[in-house]
Amino acid sequence: MSEFWNSITSVQPDPSSRLVIGTGVVALLLIAWRPIWQYTRQVVTIAHEGAHGLIAALVGRKLSGIRLHSDTSGVTVSRGRPTGAGMIAVLLAGYPGPALFGLAAAFVLSRGYAVALLWGLLVALLILLLQIRNLYGLWSVLVFGALVFGVSWWGSPSVQSTFAHLLTWFLLLAAPRAVLELQHSRRRGQGRSSDADQLRRLTGVPALLWVGVFGLVTLGCLAVGVVWSGVLPG
């Protein structure tokens, strides 16, 4: 247990620029290549719905459960006032959620705590698992959690660092694409129950402006994450 705790709390050596850039390129391929994206996007959905659930709990709403679907959509149900600042905060959290989680991960990695990041993610997935209310969602979180656990428990320090950087880049890069997909579905007349459209009904602010807010936050997180990654000349 002492060795296990030391591995979590110890600062890992700074990764090479080649590793940081290489994992960013691989993450970009996982996002840009559509045959893979239809599967890897489920990680974004997990983060999206997890962000809804986290904010719902923080603003005092009663979280009823989370469902993840095979088409990479999801829904988080909470009980409380259907209007007001709390509900607005919950709806605002979804699309920026993956980017903000990625930014937090980038901060932890910039301090050298790759192993602590992975174990922290496992704890978060375990908490999320308790809120899943459908079989596919249960399977999705378990598979992702098993992957993270396998790397955390059996992976060498270099493998752990590589995986942590890959996951961080993936969240930072995938979040803007999810926002683009949201607007694309809205232009085709779909997604009228999206977070942006629900925010429009609650606030009177056009849904397109809310999509713009989502896009600005996700791109801002990506920009800061790039700086924290150390790939830019200092």
Side-chain angles (χ1 to χ4, degrees):
M1 288 299 298
S2 177
E3 292 181 3
F4 172 69
W5 181 250
N6 286 336
S7 69
I8 294 177
T9 58
S10 298
V11 176
Q12 283 76 44
D14 290 337
S16 65
S17 296
R18 179 178 298 180
L19 183 146
V20 176
I21 295 173
T23 51
V25 171
V26 173
L28 190 59
L29 291 174
L30 293 175
I31 296 162
W33 191 21
R34 186 174 294 274
I36 288 186
W37 173 243
Q38 63 181 333
Y39 299 106
T40 59
R41 195 189 187 285
Q42 194 64 254
V43 176
V44 179
T45 304
I46 290 172
H48 179 116
E49 300 304 331
H52 280 316
L54 174 62
I55 298 303
L58 290 178
V59 300
R61 296 180 64 83
K62 175 73 172 178
L63 189 59
S64 300
I66 296 172
R67 293 177 177 269
L68 307 173
H69 304 133
S70 59
D71 62 355
T72 71
S73 66
V75 60
T76 299
V77 179
S78 61
R79 295 198 298 269
R81 287 185 58 194
T83 59
M87 190 63 205
I88 292 173
V90 172
L91 291 170
L92 273 172
Y95 280 94
L100 291 169
F101 289 144
L103 185 61
F107 177 80
V108 174
L109 287 179
S110 72
R111 298 300 186 267
Y113 293 104
V115 178
L117 171 63
L118 295 179
W119 284 103
L121 175 58
L122 275 174
V123 172
L125 288 173
L126 179 60
I127 295 172
L128 178 66
L129 192 64
L130 299 176
Q131 296 297 330
I132 297 297
R133 295 294 183 268
N134 68 322
L135 186 60
Y136 186 85
L138 183 69
W139 178 84
S140 298
V141 176
L142 283 175
V143 169
F144 184 44
L147 175 61
V148 177
F149 176 79
V151 173
S152 305
W153 190 258
W154 290 292
S156 65
S158 61
V159 170
Q160 292 169 339
S161 179
T162 299
F163 183 77
H165 280 85
L166 175 62
L167 182 58
T168 300
W169 278 124
F170 180 83
L171 290 172
L172 289 170
L173 291 166
R177 173 163 185 175
V179 175
L180 289 175
E181 290 180 342
L182 166 64
Q183 183 55 23
H184 181 65
S185 67
R186 294 187 68 258
R187 290 181 61 184
R188 292 186 301 173
Q190 302 171 354
R192 295 305 179 183
S193 61
S194 70
D195 295 349
D197 289 277
Q198 292 183 67
L199 283 166
R200 175 187 59 79
R201 290 191 287 270
L202 284 176
T203 65
V205 177
L208 183 60
L209 289 183
W210 288 117
V211 175
V213 170
F214 297 158
L216 287 175
V217 173
T218 57
L219 290 175
C221 289
L222 175 58
V224 176
V226 169
V227 173
W228 285 349
S229 72
V231 297
L232 296 179

Short mmCIF file of all heavy atoms in Angstrom, two decimals, residues 90-112:
data_model
loop_
_atom_site.label_atom_id
_atom_site.label_comp_id
_atom_site.label_asym_id
_atom_site.label_seq_id
_atom_site.Cartn_x
_atom_site.Cartn_y
_atom_site.Cartn_z
N VAL A 90 -27.15 23.76 -14.86
CA VAL A 90 -27.08 22.35 -15.26
C VAL A 90 -27.00 22.24 -16.78
O VAL A 90 -26.18 21.48 -17.33
CB VAL A 90 -28.29 21.58 -14.71
CG1 VAL A 90 -28.33 20.16 -15.29
CG2 VAL A 90 -28.23 21.51 -13.19
N LEU A 91 -27.84 22.97 -17.49
CA LEU A 91 -27.85 22.91 -18.95
C LEU A 91 -26.57 23.48 -19.54
O LEU A 91 -26.08 23.01 -20.58
CB LEU A 91 -29.06 23.66 -19.49
CG LEU A 91 -30.42 23.01 -19.21
CD1 LEU A 91 -31.55 23.96 -19.58
CD2 LEU A 91 -30.56 21.70 -19.96
N LEU A 92 -26.02 24.49 -18.90
CA LEU A 92 -24.78 25.10 -19.39
C LEU A 92 -23.59 24.16 -19.28
O LEU A 92 -22.62 24.29 -20.03
CB LEU A 92 -24.48 26.38 -18.61
CG LEU A 92 -25.10 27.68 -19.10
CD1 LEU A 92 -24.85 28.80 -18.09
CD2 LEU A 92 -24.52 28.07 -20.46
N ALA A 93 -23.64 23.23 -18.35
CA ALA A 93 -22.47 22.42 -18.03
C ALA A 93 -22.12 21.38 -19.07
O ALA A 93 -20.96 20.99 -19.21
CB ALA A 93 -22.68 21.73 -16.68
N GLY A 94 -23.12 20.90 -19.83
CA GLY A 94 -22.91 19.72 -20.66
C GLY A 94 -21.83 19.84 -21.71
O GLY A 94 -20.82 19.12 -21.67
N TYR A 95 -22.00 20.73 -22.67
CA TYR A 95 -21.04 20.79 -23.78
C TYR A 95 -19.67 21.31 -23.37
O TYR A 95 -18.64 20.81 -23.85
CB TYR A 95 -21.63 21.62 -24.94
CG TYR A 95 -22.58 20.80 -25.77
CD1 TYR A 95 -23.95 20.82 -25.52
CD2 TYR A 95 -22.12 19.97 -26.78
CE1 TYR A 95 -24.83 20.04 -26.25
CE2 TYR A 95 -22.99 19.19 -27.53
CZ TYR A 95 -24.34 19.23 -27.26
OH TYR A 95 -25.21 18.44 -27.98
N PRO A 96 -19.57 22.30 -22.47
CA PRO A 96 -18.23 22.69 -22.00
C PRO A 96 -17.61 21.66 -21.06
O PRO A 96 -16.39 21.70 -20.84
CB PRO A 96 -18.49 24.01 -21.25
CG PRO A 96 -19.80 24.51 -21.77
CD PRO A 96 -20.60 23.27 -22.05
N GLY A 97 -18.41 20.74 -20.52
CA GLY A 97 -17.91 19.80 -19.53
C GLY A 97 -16.68 19.02 -19.95
O GLY A 97 -15.67 19.02 -19.23
N PRO A 98 -16.68 18.33 -21.12
CA PRO A 98 -15.48 17.59 -21.52
C PRO A 98 -14.25 18.48 -21.64
O PRO A 98 -13.15 18.06 -21.26
CB PRO A 98 -15.89 17.00 -22.89
CG PRO A 98 -17.38 16.90 -22.82
CD PRO A 98 -17.83 18.08 -22.02
N ALA A 99 -14.42 19.69 -22.16
CA ALA A 99 -13.28 20.60 -22.30
C ALA A 99 -12.76 21.03 -20.94
O ALA A 99 -11.54 21.11 -20.72
CB ALA A 99 -13.69 21.83 -23.12
N LEU A 100 -13.66 21.31 -19.99
CA LEU A 100 -13.23 21.72 -18.66
C LEU A 100 -12.56 20.58 -17.92
O LEU A 100 -11.56 20.78 -17.21
CB LEU A 100 -14.43 22.24 -17.87
CG LEU A 100 -15.01 23.57 -18.38
CD1 LEU A 100 -16.35 23.87 -17.71
CD2 LEU A 100 -14.03 24.71 -18.14
N PHE A 101 -13.07 19.36 -18.09
CA PHE A 101 -12.40 18.20 -17.52
C PHE A 101 -11.02 18.02 -18.14
O PHE A 101 -10.04 17.70 -17.46
CB PHE A 101 -13.24 16.93 -17.73
CG PHE A 101 -14.49 16.87 -16.91
CD1 PHE A 101 -15.66 16.31 -17.42
CD2 PHE A 101 -14.53 17.38 -15.62
CE1 PHE A 101 -16.82 16.26 -16.67
CE2 PHE A 101 -15.69 17.33 -14.86
CZ PHE A 101 -16.84 16.76 -15.38
N GLY A 102 -10.95 18.21 -19.47
CA GLY A 102 -9.66 18.12 -20.14
C GLY A 102 -8.68 19.17 -19.66
O GLY A 102 -7.48 18.91 -19.50
N LEU A 103 -9.18 20.38 -19.42
CA LEU A 103 -8.33 21.45 -18.93
C LEU A 103 -7.82 21.14 -17.52
O LEU A 103 -6.65 21.37 -17.21
CB LEU A 103 -9.10 22.77 -18.94
CG LEU A 103 -8.30 24.02 -18.55
CD1 LEU A 103 -7.15 24.25 -19.52
CD2 LEU A 103 -9.22 25.24 -18.52
N ALA A 104 -8.71 20.61 -16.67
CA ALA A 104 -8.28 20.21 -15.34
C ALA A 104 -7.22 19.12 -15.41
O ALA A 104 -6.24 19.14 -14.66
CB ALA A 104 -9.49 19.73 -14.53
N ALA A 105 -7.41 18.17 -16.34
CA ALA A 105 -6.42 17.11 -16.52
C ALA A 105 -5.09 17.69 -17.00
O ALA A 105 -4.02 17.26 -16.56
CB ALA A 105 -6.94 16.07 -17.52
N ALA A 106 -5.15 18.66 -17.91
CA ALA A 106 -3.93 19.29 -18.40
C ALA A 106 -3.18 19.99 -17.27
O ALA A 106 -1.94 19.96 -17.21
CB ALA A 106 -4.25 20.29 -19.51
N PHE A 107 -3.92 20.61 -16.36
CA PHE A 107 -3.29 21.27 -15.21
C PHE A 107 -2.58 20.25 -14.33
O PHE A 107 -1.44 20.45 -13.90
CB PHE A 107 -4.33 22.03 -14.41
CG PHE A 107 -3.78 22.68 -13.16
CD1 PHE A 107 -3.09 23.88 -13.23
CD2 PHE A 107 -3.95 22.08 -11.92
CE1 PHE A 107 -2.57 24.47 -12.09
CE2 PHE A 107 -3.43 22.66 -10.78
CZ PHE A 107 -2.74 23.86 -10.87
N VAL A 108 -3.27 19.12 -14.04
CA VAL A 108 -2.67 18.08 -13.21
C VAL A 108 -1.42 17.52 -13.88
O VAL A 108 -0.38 17.31 -13.23
CB VAL A 108 -3.69 16.97 -12.92
CG1 VAL A 108 -3.04 15.81 -12.19
CG2 VAL A 108 -4.86 17.52 -12.11
N LEU A 109 -1.49 17.29 -15.18
CA LEU A 109 -0.33 16.76 -15.90
C LEU A 109 0.83 17.76 -15.91
O LEU A 109 1.99 17.37 -15.86
CB LEU A 109 -0.72 16.41 -17.34
CG LEU A 109 -1.58 15.16 -17.53
CD1 LEU A 109 -1.91 14.97 -19.01
CD2 LEU A 109 -0.89 13.93 -16.98
N SER A 110 0.51 19.04 -16.00
CA SER A 110 1.57 20.06 -16.00
C SER A 110 2.32 20.08 -14.68
O SER A 110 3.44 20.58 -14.61
CB SER A 110 0.98 21.44 -16.29
OG SER A 110 0.22 21.92 -15.18
N ARG A 111 1.70 19.52 -13.62
CA ARG A 111 2.36 19.42 -12.31
C ARG A 111 3.04 18.08 -12.12
O ARG A 111 3.65 17.83 -11.07
CB ARG A 111 1.34 19.65 -11.19
CG ARG A 111 0.70 21.04 -11.20
CD ARG A 111 1.79 22.13 -11.03
NE ARG A 111 1.22 23.45 -10.89
CZ ARG A 111 1.00 24.30 -11.89
NH1 ARG A 111 1.30 23.92 -13.14
NH2 ARG A 111 0.51 25.50 -11.69
N GLY A 112 2.90 17.18 -13.12
CA GLY A 112 3.62 15.90 -13.08
C GLY A 112 2.89 14.76 -12.41
O GLY A 112 3.50 13.76 -12.06
#
